[in-house]
Amino acid sequence: MMTYSEVEAVTGYVGNFNVTVRKKARYVDPNECTSCAECAEVCPVAVPDEYQQGFSSRKAIYLPFPQAVPSAYVLNMDDCLGNNPIACGKCADVCDKNCIDYDDQDKLVNIEVGVIITATGMDVYDPTEYDEYGYTRHENVITSMEFERLICAGGPTEGHFIRPSDRKTPQTIGFIQCVGSRSRDGRGNPYCSNICCMNTVKDTLLLCDHYPGIEAKVFYMDIRAFGKGFEDLYMRSKEEGVKYIRGIPGDVTEDPETRNLLLTVENTTTGKLENHELEVLVLAQGVIPRRDNDRIRKLLTLSTTSDGFIMESHPKLKPVDAPTKGIYIAGCAESPKDVKDSVTQASAAAARASILLNAGKTKIEAITSQIDADKCNFCGICAQVCPYNAIVSSDRKTKRLPVIIQAACAGCGACAAECPQDAITMRHFRDEQILAQIEAILAVEPHKHLLTFACNWCSYAGGDDAGTARLQYPTASRLIRTMCSGRVDQKFVLHAFKLGAPIVLVSGCHFSDCHYISAVHWTQKRMDKLWNKLDKLGVRPDRLRLEWISAADGQKFAKVMRELDDVIKNVTMDEIEYTMNVLAEEEAKAKEKKTKTRVEVQA
Amino acid sequence: MAVTETRFKCLNCGHEYDGIYDSQVVQERTCPKCRSNSVRRLPKAKPDKAKK
């Protein structure tokens, strides 16, 4: 176990990851330290204790928290006065075991691992944004994390709950739910933080147990007691006399004399405006992704949802697998969840990892890319495009070809679509195969068909959803399945138009659902290029469409098909003929240019 | 020069609007009027060459 350490870099791929870890300097030898605390006793520096939410202080040399592993002190050099005998050095003087080393340095450690489990946790929402609750103005407004420290036996008050302004045990206490969660007003987050309702229910039960007769009120919009035994807990809390008031206070003010908090709330059950006076108010702050999640995402080549949590490979079938092979996710790194769900997910991730480790080898899908050495001109675009860093870039100077790491390639096909030399072949989705499908679809009455490229995971499944839901849409649509919309090469679209397609639709996953991290970004970029090209050639750009359709959105799939069927009717035969001619000319010109270049090179 | 103000055009309903385009951060585009994703980033008009 490497504590007080940070991952600096991760290279390699499934089964062969190389992880660089920075072991931060502790300035205390953890093997020798016995946690006797004599160093902390003589340390003259006192700073707010982060673990106790600032309710108590710690020294510059300290034990981060009582259950810290290893049970050894650590010296925070930012707080320490230093080993200058004039300045300080007291801790080193009193340490009998001589385990304090002021010259300790960070160490970089390289580890080779086969799989990685990401369990990087979450942060909590800062409620200062909700100014109406007065968190920064009123001393007796605290957060649920602060409440946790105050009621905890290991906390600064040894579990005696006091209100901060006068250190007396309050008789009336209120909780405001959903602070920073389920918000649509631009503040906080739109998602439910999952744990706050039951955390508050537990807090009220603790209060009722510790202080019989205490008056507790919970202001909520909905109580989500969905887990095993949760409803019972909620009912128990109600039976203990806790009042649940459906309504979120709009304003919190303070009585300057008593320091009590005055709340105004519309009780949406009775429809009446109510005033409440409380001694302490607890804000049930929501859960947010770790603030350094973006760094973790880049380190491990992961993707995140629009909320900022790490995205799983598949929400139902691979809930603990990351899109990058050999990486698994557990806990709140993936989404807000309680302890039980985190443990369940961690067990699943460990089991998934052990399957791979015990097997010693992994099966990969045969849908991967390969380089044609004769065609590659060492431009390096493929390596830039790859969302998985599965391509070791080429080198034009040394004429080193790019190398595709087959175990890391996920098969999106973005590299094949972007390669300007057509030097990449996507197994099972080769250019020839897709072009042949286009030709087959447009062989008879092409002007009547709506050619659609649909990605395997979302749009194609969206079509399935429309079918199973028996949604009606015109029969003009013809689908070509690709693993990702990122595989749709410009030449596929142009070829379709050249063969007389009135409309071409490219459809894929929403950005937040992309099964290939960011391959879908290249689809949008390519579409911009295609629209400009069509415009330049005098072809209406609106004959090429782009839609993001999720697997569960059969309704959208059917709607788009119906709309485009109407658009087909507006495309005239003259337009189609003009497009076919202009693209045939373009193709001829391109071929001529290519032949000329080859002749020049050979000469 | 990564972030620029750009004009977008919905190819479904023809609605045109101004928005921010960041070449470093690719964002999903949706027409604010009809919710279609066929939103084209219009190329900047080239300035007329000064006549001699």
Side-chain angles (χ1 to χ4, degrees):
Chain A
M1 188 185 283
M2 294 167 83
T3 57
Y4 204 45
S5 304
E6 211 165 281
V7 175
E8 287 270 304
V10 179
T11 55
Y13 51 92
V14 56
N16 297 282
F17 289 112
N18 192 300
V19 184
T20 309
V21 181
R22 178 178 292 276
K23 281 186 86 175
K24 293 183 184 172
R26 301 178 68 98
Y27 305 98
V28 177
D29 184 348
N31 298 321
E32 294 296 322
C33 178
T34 56
S35 306
C36 65
E38 282 178 22
C39 52
E41 278 167 25
V42 295
C43 178
V45 182
V47 291
D49 188 346
E50 301 87 351
Y51 178 66
Q52 302 289 11
Q53 298 286 311
F55 281 122
S56 63
S57 61
R58 62 162 174 83
K59 297 295 182 70
I61 189 162
Y62 65 108
L63 192 66
F65 53 97
Q67 298 82 21
V69 176
S71 182
Y73 275 62
V74 61
L75 179 59
N76 188 331
M77 267 300 166
D78 292 337
D79 302 328
C80 180
L81 298 176
N83 189 28
N84 184 333
I86 302 167
C88 192
K90 289 178 180 168
C91 54
D93 291 344
V94 295
C95 183
D96 292 337
K97 303 208 92 179
N98 292 326
C99 45
I100 297 170
D101 174 13
Y102 287 97
D103 299 321
D104 197 7
Q105 297 280 319
D106 289 1
K107 290 178 189 77
L108 289 178
V109 183
N110 277 312
I111 315 168
E112 287 189 351
V113 295
V115 294
I116 296 171
I117 296 175
T118 315
T120 44
M122 48 80 171
D123 278 323
V124 285
Y125 176 74
D126 177 3
T128 51
E129 203 176 14
Y130 282 79
D131 194 47
E132 64 267 35
Y133 298 150
Y135 177 62
T136 51
R137 292 193 305 277
H138 312 314
E139 211 177 338
N140 294 328
V141 178
I142 59 172
T143 65
S144 44
M145 285 294 279
E146 288 166 346
F147 176 89
E148 203 63 41
R149 293 323 304 153
L150 289 174
I151 201 83
C152 178
T157 55
E158 295 177 340
H160 301 293
F161 185 63
I162 54 163
R163 73 172 193 164
S165 65
D166 53 14
R167 284 151 179 70
K168 285 180 186 165
T169 303
Q171 288 310 304
T172 52
I173 180 167
F175 292 83
I176 300 181
Q177 295 304 108
C178 299
V179 178
S181 307
R182 301 181 68 197
S183 165
R184 299 273 168 189
D185 65 359
R187 300 179 298 175
N189 296 297
Y191 55 83
C192 169
S193 287
N194 204 321
I195 56 170
C196 328
C197 283
M198 293 321 295
N199 185 52
T200 296
V201 170
K202 181 217 47 169
D203 288 345
T204 58
L205 283 169
L206 270 177
L207 281 171
C208 293
D209 182 51
H210 288 21
Y211 307 101
I214 196 167
E215 194 183 347
K217 293 173 181 174
V218 179
F219 302 94
Y220 71 98
M221 48 173 110
D222 293 299
I223 290 290
R224 296 187 165 178
F226 55 87
K228 188 180 177 184
F230 287 4
E231 188 66 19
D232 288 347
L233 213 65
Y234 175 42
M235 288 300 146
R236 249 180 65 200
S237 169
K238 276 184 158 181
E239 282 161 16
E240 291 283 350
V242 178
K243 284 180 187 151
Y244 285 84
I245 298 151
R246 195 168 187 273
I248 298 293
D251 193 28
V252 177
T253 53
E254 190 184 65
D255 183 330
E257 276 183 30
T258 59
R259 307 290 300 272
N260 284 353
L261 300 154
L262 309 168
L263 278 73
T264 313
V265 61
E266 185 199 348
N267 187 331
T268 56
T269 310
T270 60
K272 285 178 183 167
L273 205 64
E274 295 175 4
N275 293 313
H276 296 268
E277 187 170 344
L278 304 162
E279 286 172 74
V280 172
L281 183 63
V282 183
L283 306 180
Q285 56 193 143
V287 168
I288 58 167
R290 268 185 71 102
R291 292 187 177 89
D292 59 356
N293 243 10
D294 200 45
R295 197 174 149 263
I296 296 162
R297 182 184 64 77
K298 284 177 186 161
L299 269 177
L300 299 170
T301 331
L302 302 171
S303 57
T304 50
T305 59
S306 54
D307 298 332
F309 292 98
I310 293 169
M311 197 162 89
E312 66 278 40
S313 183
H314 191 283
K316 291 168 191 162
L317 304 176
K318 288 185 174 179
V320 296
D321 293 41
T324 306
K325 284 175 213 153
I327 297 180
Y328 302 94
I329 326 160
C332 292
E334 186 256 339
S335 65
K337 55 177 69 70
D338 63 7
V339 176
K340 183 188 168 187
D341 285 355
S342 296
V343 171
T344 308
Q345 206 177 29
S347 307
R352 295 279 294 160
S354 66
I355 291 170
L356 207 58
L357 291 173
N358 287 333
K361 56 186 176 183
T362 179
K363 277 186 185 175
I364 55 166
E365 287 276 345
I367 307 165
T368 54
S369 301
Q370 60 184 42
I371 303 273
D372 184 340
D374 295 335
K375 288 183 182 171
C376 180
N377 71 348
F378 316 100
C379 68
I381 290 175
C382 52
Q384 289 170 27
V385 171
C386 182
Y388 296 88
N389 294 330
I391 304 180
V392 181
S393 189
S394 55
D395 189 341
R396 204 185 284 270
K397 279 183 189 168
T398 59
K399 296 207 167 176
R400 189 189 69 206
L401 283 168
V403 178
I404 296 175
I405 303 162
Q406 297 293 314
C409 176
C412 64
C415 55
E418 283 295 317
C419 177
Q421 300 297 315
D422 291 334
I424 297 181
T425 305
M426 189 72 221
R427 288 188 182 98
H428 299 285
F429 290 89
R430 287 184 289 118
D431 286 3
E432 297 81 14
Q433 289 174 310
I434 295 172
L435 289 170
Q437 288 183 66
I438 296 169
E439 283 161 16
I441 288 169
L442 301 172
V444 183
E445 295 187 316
H447 62 283
K448 287 185 177 172
H449 292 135
L450 165 57
L451 187 78
T452 303
F453 293 98
C455 84
N456 179 65
W457 304 103
C458 285
S459 303
Y460 200 81
D464 268 350
D465 188 55
T468 48
R470 301 283 186 268
L471 298 175
Q472 297 295 309
Y473 60 88
T475 53
S477 57
R478 296 289 184 275
L479 264 64
I480 294 178
R481 183 179 68 95
T482 54
M483 290 310 286
C484 174
S485 60
R487 173 68 187 101
V488 182
D489 198 316
Q490 286 196 41
K491 68 170 172 279
F492 301 159
V493 174
L494 297 175
H495 192 63
F497 279 128
K498 201 190 83 182
L499 295 179
I503 298 283
V504 174
L505 168 67
V506 177
S507 60
C509 308
H510 285 281
F511 278 27
S512 56
D513 301 337
C514 180
H515 285 66
Y516 298 100
I517 303 174
S518 60
V520 74
H521 296 184
W522 294 97
T523 315
Q524 187 163 279
K525 285 182 181 176
R526 207 172 301 134
M527 292 296 282
D528 269 333
K529 284 184 196 166
L530 271 166
W531 281 322
N532 290 343
K533 185 166 189 162
L534 291 175
D535 206 359
K536 216 173 164 184
L537 293 171
V539 179
R540 271 196 294 148
D542 61 354
R543 287 175 56 197
L544 171 61
R545 296 298 180 94
L546 174 70
E547 292 297 339
W548 311 123
I549 302 170
S550 76
D553 211 351
Q555 288 281 2
K556 183 175 180 182
F557 183 89
K559 180 177 165 269
V560 168
M561 292 302 158
R562 282 196 297 270
E563 281 173 0
L564 292 183
D565 192 56
D566 290 339
V567 180
I568 288 178
K569 288 167 192 158
N570 295 328
V571 183
T572 64
M573 287 306 289
D574 287 348
E575 256 186 289
I576 294 174
E577 207 168 309
Y578 169 79
T579 312
M580 290 166 76
N581 290 337
V582 80
L583 287 172
E585 277 172 32
E586 273 290 303
E587 199 177 84
K589 272 185 208 170
K591 265 185 189 168
E592 201 180 319
K593 201 178 164 187
K594 220 172 185 179
T595 320
K596 230 177 184 179
T597 320
R598 268 190 203 156
V599 171
E600 278 170 13
V601 169
Q602 281 170 358
Chain B
M1 270 295 285
V3 182
T4 50
E5 196 170 320
T6 310
R7 194 140 185 87
F8 294 97
K9 184 183 179 182
C10 173
L11 300 177
N12 188 45
C13 69
H15 176 60
E16 285 192 30
Y17 63 97
D18 291 319
I20 298 295
Y21 175 74
D22 187 342
S23 60
Q24 305 297 315
V25 185
V26 187
Q27 285 182 332
E28 188 174 314
R29 295 178 206 153
T30 304
C31 172
K33 211 172 162 188
C34 72
R35 312 304 298 164
S36 169
N37 303 117
S38 296
V39 178
R40 181 187 175 198
R41 184 169 70 97
L42 292 174
K44 274 189 182 174
K46 285 179 185 169
D48 292 334
K49 284 179 184 172
K51 287 178 183 173
K52 285 183 182 176

